[in-house]
């Protein structure tokens, strides 16, 4: 059974701070996903990665396959970044996503 | 369109009534997935489709849940004889291929009273 663990569970930071959210998983995967769920409930797919690093605007996602670990970084955080960030993993054989429990991020102005 | 359209946004049913949820995947996306979010951050996989064929249904409570993806129609998830514990947000996601990411719909909040 694959476990997806995220840390921290909750994070409050001041506007402008550099944010790091961590994710670890217990067995090999084909892809790791970072998702954002806003207070209204909608889910946005931020990144899908299987190796290395991806960047989109102020968001950076990295993955270390050997260590079974991924990080999501937010540079120059802003109150609009406040949301739940969810790490999820999938395998080619069946494609369904297993979700972590999420990190609730609150950026204070 | 470029979004996964889920309807309705909210659905209230009395215990024992039927509930039917709909999902129109992005045109050209072959894979459709249904997930149930019971608590704020607890997601449960229900079923996936490759075109109109069931790909994986290991998460479906077989006795009351059923789902279909028919050509030229939105996909549907139906719950017969709803129970209080079925209250959740049901998300649909679609994907173009196994190598692509997923696009999620905005979810249907089902409340069973």
């Amino acid at each position: 059974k694959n476990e997806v663990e995220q840390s921290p569970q909750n994070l409050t930071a001041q506007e402008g701070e550099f944010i790091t959210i961590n994710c670890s998983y217990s067995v090999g995967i084909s892809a790791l996903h970072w998702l954002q769920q806003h207070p209204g409930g909608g889910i946005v797919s931020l990144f899908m990665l299987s190796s290395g690093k991806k960047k989109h605007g102020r968001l950076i996602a990295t993955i270390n396959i050997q260590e079974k670990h991924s990080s999501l970084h937010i540079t120059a955080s802003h109150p609009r970044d406040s949301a739940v960030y969810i790490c999820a993993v999938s395998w080619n054989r069946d494609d369904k996503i297993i979700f972590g429990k999420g990190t609730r991020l609150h950026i204070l102005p | 369109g470029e979004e996964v359209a889920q309807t309705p946004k909210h659905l209230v049913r009395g215990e024992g009534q039927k509930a039917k949820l709909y999902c129109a995947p992005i045109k050209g996306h072959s894979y459709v997935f249904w997930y149930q979010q019971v608590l704020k951050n607890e997601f449960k996989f229900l079923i996936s489709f490759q075109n109109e064929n069931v790909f994986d249904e290991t998460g479906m409570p077989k006795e009351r849940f059923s789902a279909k993806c028919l050509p030229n129609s939105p996909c549907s998830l139906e719950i017969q004889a709803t129970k209080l514990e079925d209250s959740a947000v049901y998300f649909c996601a679609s994907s173009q291929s196994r190598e692509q990411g997923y696009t999620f719909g905005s979810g249907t909040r089902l409340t069973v009273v």
Side-chain angles (χ1 to χ4, degrees):
Chain A
K1 181 185 172 186
N2 188 59
E3 296 291 338
V4 181
E5 299 286 342
Q6 282 187 241
S7 62
Q9 278 189 301
N10 295 284
L11 179 57
T12 299
Q14 289 293 139
E15 184 174 356
E17 285 190 41
F18 181 81
I19 303 298
T20 296
I21 299 170
N22 295 299
C23 174
S24 60
Y25 51 93
S26 54
V27 300
I29 59 171
S30 58
L32 185 140
H33 310 258
W34 282 103
L35 310 169
Q36 180 192 55
Q37 187 170 31
H38 273 284
I43 298 172
V44 174
S45 180
L46 299 174
F47 296 103
M48 173 178 157
L49 63 167
S50 54
S51 65
K53 177 179 171 178
K54 286 190 176 180
K55 185 175 189 293
H56 186 253
R58 294 180 295 106
L59 301 176
I60 303 165
T62 63
I63 187 168
N64 184 318
I65 298 295
Q66 286 73 32
E67 294 186 4
K68 297 186 176 61
H69 181 269
S70 175
S71 294
L72 176 70
H73 305 287
I74 306 175
T75 61
S77 59
H78 191 277
R80 65 174 174 266
D81 297 326
S82 297
V84 176
Y85 291 84
I86 303 167
C87 171
V89 299
S90 61
W91 300 268
N92 273 341
R93 62 179 166 77
D94 58 16
D95 300 316
K96 63 176 178 265
I97 301 177
I98 303 298
F99 294 79
K101 291 188 171 13
T103 294
R104 188 173 298 277
L105 175 66
H106 188 202
I107 304 296
L108 300 171
Chain B
E2 290 303 306
E3 65 171 23
V4 176
Q6 286 191 250
T7 56
K9 287 201 183 312
H10 301 277
L11 188 58
V12 180
R13 287 289 178 265
E15 206 172 0
Q17 290 186 315
K18 184 173 76 175
K20 196 163 186 178
L21 291 60
Y22 296 93
C23 167
I26 291 174
K27 195 173 180 180
H29 280 198
S30 306
Y31 294 87
V32 172
F33 304 81
W34 284 99
Y35 294 92
Q36 180 194 55
Q37 186 179 27
V38 180
L39 300 173
K40 257 303 178 180
N41 296 330
E42 295 272 350
F43 286 86
K44 179 189 172 190
F45 168 77
L46 294 175
I47 190 169
S48 61
F49 289 85
Q50 183 178 8
N51 298 311
E52 61 266 27
N53 304 306
V54 173
F55 193 71
D56 181 348
E57 57 182 346
T58 52
M60 287 282 271
K62 294 274 181 66
E63 56 279 2
R64 296 184 299 110
F65 284 58
S66 62
K68 291 179 190 174
C69 274
L70 299 175
N72 303 313
S73 296
C75 296
S76 63
L77 176 69
E78 189 167 335
I79 309 172
Q80 303 286 342
T82 52
K83 297 183 178 181
L84 296 176
E85 68 245 33
D86 298 331
S87 295
V89 180
Y90 291 82
F91 285 98
C92 171
S94 72
S95 172
Q96 188 173 28
S97 70
R98 291 175 143 182
E99 291 72 38
Q100 302 294 317
Y102 301 81
T103 302
F104 285 82
S106 55
T108 292
R109 181 177 297 278
L110 172 65
T111 303
V112 181
V113 297

